[in-house]
Amino acid sequence: MPDGHQGYGFPVGGVAGIDAENGCISPGAVGYDINCLPGDTDVRLSFERRADIESLRERFEDERAVVAGDRLTESDIRLFTESGTKPVYEVETETGERIEATADHPFRTPEGMVELSDLTPGDEVTVQPFRGIEDERPEEFTVVSEDEFDDANPQLVRVLKERDLLPLKSTDEAFNRLLKLVGYHVGDGSLGGEGQVWFYGEPEDLESIREDVQRVGFTPSKVYSREREHEIDGNEFERTEYSFKTTSKALRKLLIALGIPDGPKVSSGFTTPEYFDRLTNWQQALYFRAYFGAEMNEPSAQHDKNLYCPKVSQTRTAETEPAGREFFEDVRTLLADLGIETNELEVFETDSNADHETVRLRLGVKNDSENLVRFYSTVGYAYNHHKRREAVKAIQYLTTKERERERRAHVADRAEALADGGEDIDDIKSEFDINERFIERSVWSGRDTQPRPGADFPGFDEFRESVEVRDDLTVETEIASITEVGEKPVYDIGVAHAAHNFIAEGFVVSNCGVRMMRTNLTYDDVQGREEELVDALFEAVPSGLGGGGVVETDQPTVRAILERGMDWALEEGWAIEDDLAHCEDEGYRPEADASKVSKKAKDRGRNQVGSLGSGNHFLEVQRVTDVFRADVGEAFGLSEDQIVVLIHCGSRGLGHQVCTDYLRDIEQAHQGLLNQLPDKELAAAPAGSQLAEDYYGAMCAAINYAWVNRQLIMHRTREVFADVFDRSWESMDMHLLYDVAHNIAKKEVHTVEGGEERELFVHRKGATRAFPAGRPEVPDAYADVGQPIIIPGSMGAGSYVLRGGENSLAETFGSTAHGAGRLMSRTQAKNEFWGEDVQDDLREQDHVYVKAQSGATVAEEAPGVYKDVDEVVRVSDALGIGDRVARTFPVCNIKG
């Protein structure tokens, strides 16, 4: 459509007609809301980096986010969105994770994805405690040049060049994978004959290494196994050794050039590669993390509640000991840069082998809790799933222990203060759920240091047995608190992976339409009353985020609205017969099935019936400035200088929840189909399937809800006009011109290729129906002229009324644009406009009175952030899909 722009999966302003018998139906092609995080929220990226979500704005298409699926994996980022300033809440868990998010942002829980607004302290959420290292743009330089291969076989050079590995630059993605391979090989690899490079480890870990070998363009062998005899301290035993090899001479030479030892490690004199000090911290960590995966001991209990320090060691000859010291000094330097303390390097004499005198070098990470958490959550291990699991347990244990120590310290301080105030020791003991001896010692002896955890606090071995770490290295933890922290600019990203999640701060984190009501008032009647009118409307019509509607409803009432639509409003006295006659489908979808709408969706809709919501939803009093087709204008009841009212809103949180519920159900039930799609947001249920029928019934119910929502707002608007102008709304001829839906999928019969008539699921996402005269769906009042179309513009540019064009059926399945469409993101709008200035300019220059919940909302919707609605409508008119009938201009406007 002329107003089209980017959206999740399916563009906003797009229409699709899909065979209703052999095709499918897609919630994502109807509409899907965006949930948001503040700009400084850390998002996990590929290669164990983290970056503020806001910083991804200009580069999201070049990045991959970490997704928690069957295992931790990486996924292309398909979409970056800015959603302006919204209220945000801080979530803190019992193990210390913190994140800020909007109320509608979903979090993964044991019951699936749950929006923050539906979570409370004590509920469990899924976290992935590893944070990674702050992203930094690498210095670009050539790591390996073709000159280093002058003496090599030309075929070997050709192999590397064909894989874009020669020259190899520090900014190449392949280089980062090669860094990991080199680091691991230094720890647990060897060289064989005929170009062989061997890697050793557990089968699961070797598969991960094999994947990286493949990603840089080479074919690894299968994983081999063999039984090996070993002897340690006089004890003999057998164990199965697993390994794989590569046989490319080109890869072997490249890995040697990058730093794997070319010969026996004990005597080769290797250290970190010469290019190492030019790398970013996260690149150096790729190398060392893989090395630690091969060589460092896993987290383990030293005694009960304390952990051993993680250690890594090397055996060196006396001649190569300095190189070993240099290697470990580079380890210490990186860890120090990351705020991680290490012990002094230890040197031990060893039994010399037949050829050399040897020494053992050993370096450990200091084992105080904060230091260990920092190490395990930023560096840790690569290519070793077992150690990574144990690191997750260690992080959770140590943070839990520290929070318990903090709690006991608080109790001690409080008990001492109460005692100083004269309170009896027995009364103090009764106030706290803690060992009485602890209270006595705190009161009588005082404390110079933070107390240790109590005797009933589990040791690490007991704790690790009770904690389940999933294959994706996530773990469940309880929410400790949820606190509102004000309004902030918020952002979101969309990933390509079917899991539809990404990791932020460690957490695994519909129907819309417009109606116009005409009146017999003229602009002269309202001039001088604009401020009174806008204040009265703002007070009478609920707007903004969250709950609050015109009426309070219960579950049976919501179910009746979903099932019967405008018929319910008529029976309850909120509508008249004429309202139904001038509403698309007479305000009722008979296919609606409230039983297919989840309880959660119904709960969200229960207290929002008759509310505008937020964003671009609004109620606007307008005057007709131009009538372009007099005959159609007369049929629509429009004339110049006439006052009309435009209401733009949808099915609120209920419709969003319906879409979310069924997207997830479809993803689970039709994974095979999903895997064939370029974007998971195009998830669809095959026509005729039970899931397709269920979704269609639920969506039609949400449409019924949206019509009732707009009807109640219109009813309240009639009451306001009656109060302000001191006459009945009937005497002001306040009748519905038309109500047309925007985000909707409907079964319609259309002529397709070959002149065949077929029933289609017509999906309109940010588009509107535009049927010409002659279609049976057009209301009787407009049968001879075509269906009315209402296209909102901006607060400073006006709106349009069109009629269905003769070419719409052939060109667009009987559809046209639904509005002006944005030119500028909400965040950019707030950077360029100040809400109060916009309000003042509109009032002083255009005599338009605007009222909103906040100045930020006004800035987000400033006239300058939208496309030229005149041009959008000109294109629609020129194409013959929607013909201009009348133009309107704002008088006053209320926004959420």
Side-chain angles (χ1 to χ4, degrees):
M1 297 296 108
D3 63 334
H5 55 90
Q6 185 182 34
Y8 270 135
F10 200 89
V12 179
V15 179
I18 305 174
D19 190 284
E21 182 178 355
N22 301 313
C24 60
I25 185 169
S26 170
V30 171
Y32 188 71
D33 285 354
I34 297 170
N35 313 291
C36 307
L37 303 167
D40 60 356
T41 303
D42 277 342
V43 174
R44 281 271 304 281
L45 302 176
S46 59
F47 301 116
E48 313 293 24
R49 297 169 295 144
R50 67 175 190 267
D52 291 351
I53 191 170
E54 185 179 8
S55 71
L56 301 177
R57 178 193 287 110
E58 304 300 331
R59 59 187 175 108
F60 72 91
E61 291 176 315
D62 300 322
E63 292 287 359
R64 290 191 305 280
V66 175
V67 172
D70 293 334
R71 60 174 183 167
L72 282 186
T73 188
E74 299 167 3
S75 174
D76 291 339
I77 301 175
R78 293 284 182 83
L79 183 69
F80 178 91
T81 61
E82 305 176 52
S83 299
T85 298
K86 293 185 178 182
V88 297
Y89 302 80
E90 182 185 70
V91 181
E92 183 175 5
T93 69
E94 292 291 351
T95 44
E97 292 87 2
R98 289 186 176 90
I99 191 172
E100 293 179 358
T102 56
D104 56 355
H105 202 91
F107 287 73
R108 196 169 86 178
T109 74
E111 287 74 41
M113 286 293 182
V114 176
E115 291 184 7
L116 176 55
S117 60
D118 294 322
L119 294 172
T120 59
D123 289 341
E124 289 191 327
V125 291
T126 302
V127 296
Q128 209 290 301
F130 183 86
R131 296 188 61 219
I133 295 174
E134 186 173 352
D135 185 34
E136 177 186 356
R137 186 174 180 82
E139 169 197 350
E140 183 172 313
F141 63 92
T142 299
V143 182
V144 180
S145 69
E146 193 171 339
D147 293 342
E148 297 177 55
F149 288 75
D150 281 346
D151 59 346
N153 186 314
Q155 183 178 354
L156 183 150
V157 174
R158 179 178 58 79
V159 166
L160 295 176
K161 294 179 75 170
E162 286 176 348
R163 290 160 175 75
D164 293 326
L165 298 175
L166 201 63
L168 184 66
K169 295 186 177 298
S170 57
T171 52
D172 293 342
E173 179 174 313
F175 172 62
N176 297 325
R177 298 192 186 281
L178 289 163
L179 272 174
K180 293 169 63 182
L181 296 175
V182 170
Y184 189 89
H185 194 274
V186 165
D188 209 353
S190 68
L191 298 178
E194 293 297 319
Q196 294 177 1
V197 179
W198 287 88
F199 295 87
Y200 304 91
E202 294 301 312
E204 179 181 23
D205 305 321
L206 292 177
E207 289 298 338
S208 297
I209 302 173
R210 290 179 76 252
E211 286 180 14
D212 276 339
V213 170
Q214 291 170 324
R215 286 174 178 172
V216 296
F218 296 92
T219 303
S221 73
K222 67 176 184 179
V223 174
Y224 303 105
S225 65
R226 64 170 178 169
E227 299 300 319
R228 297 291 301 271
E229 293 183 354
H230 295 269
E231 180 180 340
I232 298 179
D233 297 331
N235 296 317
E236 295 183 357
F237 61 94
E238 284 191 356
R239 66 182 293 268
T240 304
E241 178 186 83
Y242 300 95
S243 62
F244 78 88
K245 66 180 177 180
T246 63
T247 57
S248 168
K249 294 179 180 179
L251 177 60
R252 172 168 166 155
K253 188 167 181 63
L254 179 63
L255 291 174
I256 290 173
L258 288 172
I260 68 171
D262 187 9
K265 294 174 186 175
V266 68
S267 59
S268 66
F270 77 91
T271 185
T272 51
E274 60 180 14
Y275 55 79
F276 209 67
D277 61 355
R278 300 181 68 179
L279 303 182
T280 63
N281 281 346
W282 64 263
Q283 287 178 310
Q284 290 186 5
L286 289 176
Y287 175 97
F288 284 133
R289 190 180 290 120
Y291 174 70
F292 296 156
E295 290 295 297
M296 183 176 279
N297 59 294
E298 68 182 72
S300 58
Q302 182 179 22
H303 51 77
D304 195 22
K305 298 179 177 64
N306 292 328
L307 272 62
Y308 276 113
C309 65
K311 295 179 180 179
V312 65
S313 60
Q314 292 179 358
T315 299
R316 297 281 190 150
T317 65
E319 292 77 11
T320 61
E321 178 188 342
R325 289 179 177 272
E326 182 180 343
F327 181 93
F328 282 120
E329 190 57 39
D330 286 343
V331 175
R332 297 186 68 186
T333 298
L334 171 65
L335 296 183
D337 284 348
L338 300 176
I340 300 165
E341 294 184 79
T342 53
N343 299 316
E344 291 298 320
L345 181 66
E346 300 174 284
V347 182
F348 304 94
E349 292 184 1
T350 63
D351 294 332
S352 300
N353 62 31
D355 301 315
H356 306 283
E357 294 182 5
T358 59
V359 296
R360 190 75 173 163
L361 307 176
R362 186 169 69 188
L363 182 69
V365 176
K366 286 190 175 180
N367 69 335
D368 70 83
S369 295
E370 184 178 348
N371 196 57
L372 286 181
V373 168
R374 189 176 295 117
F375 172 74
Y376 288 133
S377 62
T378 58
V379 182
Y381 312 95
Y383 295 144
N384 195 307
H385 199 70
H386 172 73
K387 291 179 183 178
R388 296 185 75 186
R389 278 179 181 269
E390 296 306 305
V392 168
K393 295 179 182 179
I395 293 169
Q396 297 304 92
Y397 177 74
L398 293 169
T399 52
T400 302
K401 186 177 80 168
E402 287 308 298
R403 288 175 74 88
E404 174 62 9
R405 293 180 66 185
E406 291 169 4
R407 184 186 76 85
R408 291 170 68 85
H410 173 75
V411 170
D413 292 343
R414 179 66 180 151
E416 189 174 1
L418 290 173
D420 289 345
E423 190 165 336
D424 184 78
I425 186 68
D426 289 331
D427 292 336
I428 296 174
K429 291 176 183 178
S430 67
E431 288 193 27
F432 302 101
D433 181 20
I434 204 165
N435 182 275
E436 291 187 358
R437 176 61 181 151
F438 177 82
I439 297 293
E440 292 171 356
R441 292 183 58 197
S442 300
V443 169
W444 295 330
S445 305
R447 291 186 178 276
D448 297 326
T449 59
Q450 193 176 51
R452 292 175 295 181
D456 57 347
F457 189 82
F460 179 56
D461 286 337
E462 180 183 352
F463 178 87
R464 74 203 302 183
E465 291 300 318
S466 67
V467 174
E468 179 186 357
V469 179
R470 299 183 181 184
D471 289 341
D472 59 8
L473 300 177
T474 61
V475 66
E476 290 164 4
T477 185
E478 283 190 6
I479 295 175
S481 63
I482 301 174
T483 309
E484 187 171 1
V485 292
E487 294 193 348
K488 296 185 179 183
V490 290
Y491 309 85
D492 197 19
I493 58 174
V495 299
H497 195 275
H500 188 60
N501 68 53
F502 58 96
I503 295 177
E505 299 289 2
F507 291 79
V508 180
V509 292
S510 210
N511 170 267
C512 177
V514 62
R515 66 168 48 192
M516 179 175 281
M517 177 172 57
R518 60 178 181 251
T519 77
N520 61 17
L521 300 176
T522 66
Y523 185 45
D524 286 342
D525 294 324
V526 299
Q527 278 191 297
R529 314 282 300 269
E530 297 97 336
E531 195 161 0
E532 178 188 2
L533 185 58
V534 77
D535 286 346
L537 288 169
F538 190 77
E539 182 177 353
V541 178
S543 62
L545 291 169
V550 168
V551 295
E552 290 291 330
T553 60
D554 51 20
Q555 281 282 351
T557 304
V558 171
R559 187 163 53 249
I561 292 171
L562 293 170
E563 293 278 8
R564 294 158 51 207
M566 288 279 283
D567 285 342
W568 174 89
L570 178 66
E571 292 177 12
E572 295 295 323
W574 298 102
I576 60 174
E577 290 280 0
D578 188 66
D579 294 335
L580 278 64
H582 290 81
C583 191
E584 182 176 342
D585 297 331
E586 297 185 346
Y588 168 62
R589 296 297 300 170
E591 305 95 328
D593 186 347
S595 70
K596 305 307 180 185
V597 177
S598 70
K599 181 180 182 298
K600 182 176 179 180
K602 291 170 184 171
D603 286 342
R604 293 189 66 180
R606 186 168 54 82
N607 63 346
Q608 293 183 339
V609 187
S611 61
L612 281 176
S614 61
N616 68 340
H617 293 157
F618 62 85
L619 184 155
E620 189 168 86
V621 179
Q622 305 173 331
R623 60 188 170 102
V624 178
T625 58
D626 303 274
V627 176
F628 305 104
R629 287 176 167 82
D631 58 335
V632 183
E634 183 179 355
F636 287 178
L638 297 175
S639 59
E640 290 187 8
D641 218 33
Q642 178 185 4
I643 293 297
V644 296
V645 180
L646 196 65
I647 299 169
H648 177 212
C649 62
S651 52
R652 299 296 318 275
L654 181 143
H656 167 245
Q657 191 63 47
V658 167
C659 188
T660 301
D661 290 341
Y662 280 94
L663 267 178
R664 301 299 158 256
D665 289 346
I666 290 170
E667 287 169 9
Q668 293 177 15
H670 300 290
Q671 187 66 48
L673 173 61
L674 190 67
N675 291 338
Q676 301 174 42
L677 299 174
D679 191 318
K680 66 167 295 301
E681 292 296 333
L682 297 174
S689 68
Q690 186 61 53
L691 194 49
E693 294 301 316
D694 290 350
Y695 169 63
Y696 192 64
M699 185 202 61
C700 287
I703 295 168
N704 285 344
Y705 181 98
W707 278 319
V708 171
N709 187 42
R710 292 191 287 272
Q711 178 65 35
L712 266 60
I713 293 172
M714 190 175 82
H715 180 91
R716 183 60 62 85
T717 302
R718 285 168 167 166
E719 293 179 333
V720 169
F721 268 69
D723 288 342
V724 170
F725 295 102
D726 195 25
R727 66 186 89 163
S728 70
W729 68 262
E730 291 92 346
S731 69
M732 289 181 281
D733 194 23
M734 299 185 72
H735 286 88
L736 180 62
L737 169 63
Y738 198 60
D739 183 304
V740 60
H742 286 170
N743 294 348
I744 194 169
K746 297 171 73 173
K747 289 181 181 179
E748 296 174 358
V749 175
H750 288 268
T751 302
V752 295
E753 293 180 5
E756 178 188 358
E757 286 193 349
R758 295 179 51 189
E759 187 177 51
L760 308 177
F761 283 124
V762 178
H763 300 69
R764 296 184 178 100
K765 179 178 181 181
T768 189
R769 199 179 75 177
F771 281 175
R775 282 286 298 210
E777 297 93 337
V778 177
D780 291 343
Y782 309 126
D784 295 334
V785 294
Q787 172 210 309
I789 302 159
I790 303 160
I791 298 188
S794 70
M795 295 182 291
S799 302
Y800 278 87
V801 179
L802 285 66
R803 59 98 176 259
E806 291 184 359
N807 296 336
S808 67
L809 293 174
E811 298 292 337
T812 59
F813 298 111
S815 311
T816 191
H818 85 311
R822 296 188 73 91
L823 281 172
M824 192 182 298
S825 71
R826 296 185 183 278
T827 297
Q828 185 181 355
K830 284 181 296 186
N831 289 335
E832 298 200 18
F833 298 100
W834 185 254
E836 292 182 1
D837 291 344
V838 173
Q839 286 176 293
D840 291 344
D841 290 346
L842 286 168
R843 184 176 62 252
E844 294 167 10
Q845 298 175 20
D846 298 315
H847 307 292
V848 177
Y849 290 74
V850 176
K851 191 154 188 177
Q853 292 287 349
S854 70
T857 298
V858 178
E860 292 171 7
E861 298 297 309
V865 309
Y866 281 93
K867 293 179 181 179
D868 182 353
V869 69
D870 297 333
E871 179 64 11
V872 170
V873 171
R874 185 196 68 78
V875 173
S876 181
D877 189 82
L879 291 172
I881 58 176
D883 304 332
R884 292 190 311 169
V885 175
R887 189 178 188 274
T888 65
F889 194 79
V891 174
C892 59
N893 178 297
I894 67 169
K895 288 185 175 292

